[in-house]
Amino acid sequence: MDTKKCVCIGVSGGIAVYKALDIISALRKKDIDVRVIMTEAATKFVTPLPFQSLSQNMVVTDMFAEPKAFEIQHISLAKRADVFLVAPATANIIGKVANGIADDMLSTTIMATKAKVIFAPAMNTNMYENKIVQENIQKLKNLGYEFIEPDSGLLACGDEGKGKLAKPSEIVEKVMEALNNSSLEKDLIGKNVLISAGPTNSSIDPVRFITNRSTGKMGYFLAEEARDRGANVTLVSGPTNLNPPSGIKVINVVTNEEMKNAILDNYDNSDIVIKSAAVADYKIKNYSNKKIKKDDGELVLTFVRDNDILKILGDNKKHQILVGFAAESNDVVENAKKKIVKKNLDFIVANDITSSDTGFASDDNKVIILSKDGKEIYLDKMNKRKVASKIFDTILRKR
Ligand code: CTP
């Protein structure tokens, strides 16, 4: 039994086929077992030989070829793969997979695999932007397939626009990330996890609103961590610039009230609820239907209290494990402890928002996880995905 991690690379036909060689080479240098399946069209651009030499494995091109000594059949490859990469991915292979067509080695293997499948599309801009292709991509994303966006630039056909295969280094990075996540223990299978992320907005008039600096990163990483550990995840997100993660039900909201309603709609059905959103505590008292005109004097706005969503959840808690965040600029632990009691939480994740290299907008965070039974876990500064992992470890009493 081979213990090496295995990446199966499906190469479909396009001018970018040769770039897949760089990807194979980089993965081999990381001691990853690389298996290659080429479509017939791909072999018209580059022969299987360099793929075979670099991967040090036979390249599979024909579903009906006699299995050789090393036993390559689509089912065994589908099982062997820890991550499945399709690069370059043509409109054709994307369309086939999106529509359940399995008529060659690559499409049958993708259909049979349980591994994470990542597509790195490369094609002419007009093809890429074609509504049918975009609909197929969206359909696959909703089903949990991942995509690495193509780059923009001058394409082989002479057109300029989006459609160049993403940089091999970027593709390798995404594959490595997926490989690491593929080895996560699936300890949240069967659990419904509800997460809130990002800011909420409160409108002043038709053109103005107030909000806060939250980017939503922490909540999105929590959602991805839960998904990769096997949970059914619902993410209620305020306005952010982040892409909706695949395999997660995302409910987009804008105001405190909308977030409250979306969370309450899903509360009874949830096992673990984590509120990482930066919810506005106040809303404008008198919303103006018309744009407020400037005047010579001062402009005074009056705000009134809005829902404390987490407190509502705490007051109505039944079986759920309820986790809050505490954004503090002073007396971090003391203030966070008060919030555990006030909002009837099981855990709170406290962070000091005055630090410039962690917290809001940063990729890193330095937090303390406090539990209602008085346990305090001080974590070093680490990236937010890692923080997400530690939070679930703590909730599941693994630390
Ligand atoms: N929260 C919420 N609704 C609010 C405010 C906060 O659900 N109106 C949640 C946040 O998502 C977070 C936790 O409550 O999980 C703590 O948020 P934080 O902003 O730190 O605290 P506040 O409750 O607003 O308290 P304070 O303003 O005193 O710091």
Side-chain angles (χ1 to χ4, degrees):
M1 166 103 181
D2 202 337
T3 52
K4 270 189 197 169
K5 290 272 174 196
C6 175
V7 174
C8 188
I9 304 188
V11 183
S12 58
I15 195 69
V17 162
Y18 71 96
K19 293 189 186 169
L21 292 168
D22 286 344
I23 300 170
I24 295 168
S25 168
L27 290 172
R28 284 292 304 136
K29 283 186 188 141
K30 294 179 187 295
D31 201 27
I32 286 157
D33 179 19
V34 180
R35 307 296 175 109
V36 180
I37 302 174
M38 294 178 82
T39 62
E40 207 184 322
T43 63
K44 305 268 191 263
F45 288 88
V46 180
T47 73
L49 189 63
F51 288 90
Q52 193 170 306
S53 309
L54 283 177
S55 70
Q56 290 165 12
N57 277 313
M58 288 300 289
V59 171
V60 184
T61 52
D62 180 0
M63 186 166 55
F64 300 108
E66 276 295 301
K68 309 261 178 0
F70 38 79
E71 195 229 352
I72 291 179
Q73 290 171 321
H74 74 283
I75 297 297
S76 61
L77 256 183
K79 278 190 188 152
R80 173 78 184 101
D82 294 299
V83 169
F84 207 110
L85 170 70
V86 188
T90 57
N92 188 46
I93 187 70
I94 293 169
K96 278 199 212 177
V97 180
N99 292 287
I101 296 170
D103 64 351
D104 63 5
M105 187 68 190
L106 181 55
S107 49
T108 47
T109 315
I110 294 173
M111 192 171 270
T113 193
K114 286 203 163 5
K116 160 114 342 221
V117 180
I118 304 172
F119 288 93
M123 66 194 81
N124 166 272
T125 306
N126 292 338
M127 283 176 80
Y128 184 69
E129 285 169 358
N130 183 298
K131 258 190 138 180
I132 300 172
V133 173
Q134 284 303 317
E135 271 180 30
N136 285 337
I137 291 177
Q138 199 49 52
K139 181 175 175 188
L140 289 171
K141 280 186 178 173
N142 294 342
L143 291 169
Y145 293 82
E146 273 190 29
F147 280 79
I148 304 175
E149 290 250 316
D151 284 342
S152 294
L154 186 62
L155 304 175
C157 53
D159 283 357
E160 243 189 286
K162 207 167 182 177
K164 280 164 87 85
L165 184 73
K167 285 180 205 60
S169 56
E170 189 194 332
I171 296 175
V172 169
E173 199 178 308
K174 288 268 161 60
V175 168
M176 292 309 293
E177 203 180 293
L179 265 186
N180 289 337
N181 294 338
S182 75
S183 50
L184 282 180
E185 196 188 333
K186 305 288 179 214
D187 48 9
L188 286 172
I189 281 180
K191 298 279 180 221
N192 293 327
V193 174
L194 176 62
I195 289 168
S196 75
T200 62
N201 293 352
S202 168
S203 290
I204 297 168
D205 69 12
V207 290
R208 302 172 178 107
F209 59 88
I210 57 154
T211 187
N212 58 66
R213 291 183 195 281
S214 169
T215 58
K217 280 183 191 166
M218 191 63 240
Y220 277 59
F221 280 126
L222 280 162
E224 287 172 2
E225 175 74 16
R227 173 201 63 196
D228 292 338
R229 290 165 84 144
N232 304 316
V233 186
T234 303
L235 174 64
V236 178
S237 174
T240 74
N241 288 321
L242 304 172
N243 288 325
S246 58
I248 288 171
K249 180 180 166 200
V250 180
I251 304 173
N252 289 307
V253 296
V254 177
T255 63
N256 172 315
E257 185 72 16
E258 286 169 6
M259 184 170 277
K260 183 194 86 175
N261 292 337
I263 295 270
L264 287 180
D265 283 350
N266 289 280
Y267 191 43
D268 287 348
N269 199 24
S270 296
D271 302 297
I272 298 172
V273 181
I274 309 183
K275 283 230 67 214
S276 67
V279 187
D281 286 312
Y282 293 89
K283 65 180 171 192
I284 202 88
K285 185 172 182 190
N286 294 310
Y287 171 78
S288 166
N289 286 323
K290 295 202 180 73
K291 184 182 166 200
I292 299 172
K293 288 290 189 189
K294 66 175 160 298
D295 213 337
D296 287 340
E298 291 176 346
L299 172 69
V300 179
L301 296 171
T302 307
F303 293 90
V304 290
R305 277 296 306 273
D306 211 339
N307 308 300
D308 185 332
I309 305 173
L310 191 55
K311 176 140 178 30
I312 298 173
L313 298 182
D315 291 344
N316 293 286
K317 190 166 76 170
K318 294 179 196 102
H319 59 281
Q320 297 90 344
I321 296 177
L322 191 54
V323 186
F325 269 69
E328 305 294 344
S329 51
N330 55 287
D331 304 318
V332 178
V333 171
E334 199 182 312
N335 284 330
K337 278 182 176 166
K338 283 186 195 151
K339 287 177 188 170
I340 291 190
V341 178
K342 189 172 156 202
K343 305 195 189 197
N344 190 22
L345 307 179
D346 297 285
F347 299 93
I348 196 156
V349 182
N351 63 337
D352 183 344
I353 51 163
T354 57
S355 166
S356 62
D357 58 345
T358 58
F360 284 134
S362 166
D363 284 334
D364 294 325
N365 215 349
K366 185 166 185 273
V367 303
I368 308 159
I369 308 177
L370 308 165
S371 63
K372 69 173 177 199
D373 51 21
K375 214 165 151 194
E376 297 176 11
I377 300 172
Y378 288 75
L379 297 178
D380 294 335
K381 176 180 154 183
M382 58 184 76
N383 73 48
K384 286 182 173 170
R385 175 68 194 240
K386 197 98 212 204
V387 174
S389 152
K390 302 275 184 200
I391 291 171
F392 281 107
D393 286 350
T394 307
I395 294 172
L396 297 171
R397 308 273 175 204
K398 294 195 160 171
R399 11 183 331 120

